[in-house]
Amino acid sequence: RHERRVVHLQRGRARGREIGIFVSRVQSLASLAEPPRLRHHQRLGGGRGGYAAALRGAQLGLSVALIEKDKVGGTCLHRGCIPTKALLHAGEVADSARDSSHFGVNATFNSIDMTGVNSYKDGVIAGLHKGLQGLVKSRGITYVEGVGRLVSSNTVDVNGTPYVGKNIVLATGSYARTLPGLDIDGDRVITSDHGTSLNYVPKSVIVLGGGVI
């Protein structure tokens, strides 16, 4: 017998915003027109925790719905781990060119083209995002694009359409936070969201926080 339970997942820079307090950026899919049916598991949030749990549930033969308001992959894929690692790799290539003489290689380092660097980064993200979308689809997971609201212990509402599941995983993700009295202006004081999309190389920076991003 299935035991009804609600599992809370947290990750990253801060706990995700409380669900159920806003509804925005909802794009209807054909699946929303279908009558609600009972599912073994529902994942509210399509980030690293949500889609991994959804894929594992589908692998075990469960019927799974994955609800995400933005893009599957969440902060990790689009604004965190993946873009920062792509930028880091570009920096490593620049260091290799600068220090090539240590390895007996004659090369010169001229400058950084941030348009090209960001194009490389965006290409990495796009490729992984496309692959993840295909993986979710191939596993038979019902993907629902929209803001989900937990309205009962077994029901998530998305734009007026209820999705019922015996088990619900809340994987609401993370958001960039600041400190009291410190205003983020997106120019002099920025978050990692801004940092992964800069079109120039700062002369100097102070990084407050030693997390993975």
Side-chain angles (χ1 to χ4, degrees):
R1 187 179 66 181
H2 291 284
E3 178 184 0
R4 182 175 297 171
R5 63 187 183 277
V6 176
V7 182
H8 295 268
L9 297 181
Q10 297 181 25
R11 65 170 174 78
R13 295 161 286 176
R15 182 180 178 183
R17 290 187 177 90
E18 197 70 24
I19 60 173
I21 61 174
F22 66 95
V23 177
S24 63
R25 294 194 297 175
V26 177
Q27 299 179 16
S28 298
L29 300 181
S31 61
L32 298 183
E34 301 175 354
R37 64 186 180 89
L38 183 65
R39 291 177 172 82
H40 292 105
H41 288 271
Q42 294 191 86
R43 269 68 178 166
L44 185 53
R48 182 66 183 88
Y51 77 73
L55 291 171
R56 181 57 176 165
Q59 186 181 37
L60 295 174
L62 304 177
S63 57
V64 180
L66 180 63
I67 302 168
E68 169 59 41
K69 71 175 182 179
D70 192 5
K71 297 178 180 179
V72 64
T75 296
C76 180
L77 177 55
H78 299 283
R79 297 177 299 278
C81 309
I82 300 304
T84 54
K85 299 307 177 292
L87 294 173
L88 179 61
H89 179 63
E92 290 171 342
V93 172
D95 285 340
S96 295
R98 185 185 294 112
D99 301 330
S100 61
S101 61
H102 294 299
F103 305 98
V105 177
N106 295 321
T108 59
F109 172 74
N110 296 319
S111 64
I112 294 291
D113 174 17
M114 283 306 298
T115 299
V117 170
N118 283 324
S119 177
Y120 161 70
K121 175 204 67 179
D122 293 340
V124 171
I125 295 172
L128 292 175
H129 181 226
K130 184 177 181 180
L132 183 57
Q133 287 178 307
L135 184 58
V136 168
K137 183 178 181 179
S138 69
R139 294 287 177 85
I141 297 170
T142 300
Y143 181 70
V144 182
E145 189 171 352
V147 176
R149 300 172 65 244
L150 185 66
V151 295
S152 72
S153 61
N154 68 343
T155 304
V156 175
D157 178 88
V158 182
N159 197 31
T161 299
Y163 290 83
V164 180
K166 292 183 177 181
N167 302 283
I168 297 176
V169 175
L170 301 182
T172 52
S174 64
Y175 63 95
R177 63 176 301 176
T178 185
L179 300 176
L182 182 62
D183 295 326
I184 298 175
D185 57 18
D187 183 22
R188 182 174 175 80
V189 182
I190 66 175
T191 69
S192 56
D193 290 350
H194 302 104
T196 54
S197 59
L198 290 178
N199 59 2
Y200 66 96
V201 180
K203 292 183 178 180
S204 62
V205 295
I206 297 175
V207 180
L208 182 59
V212 64
I213 297 176

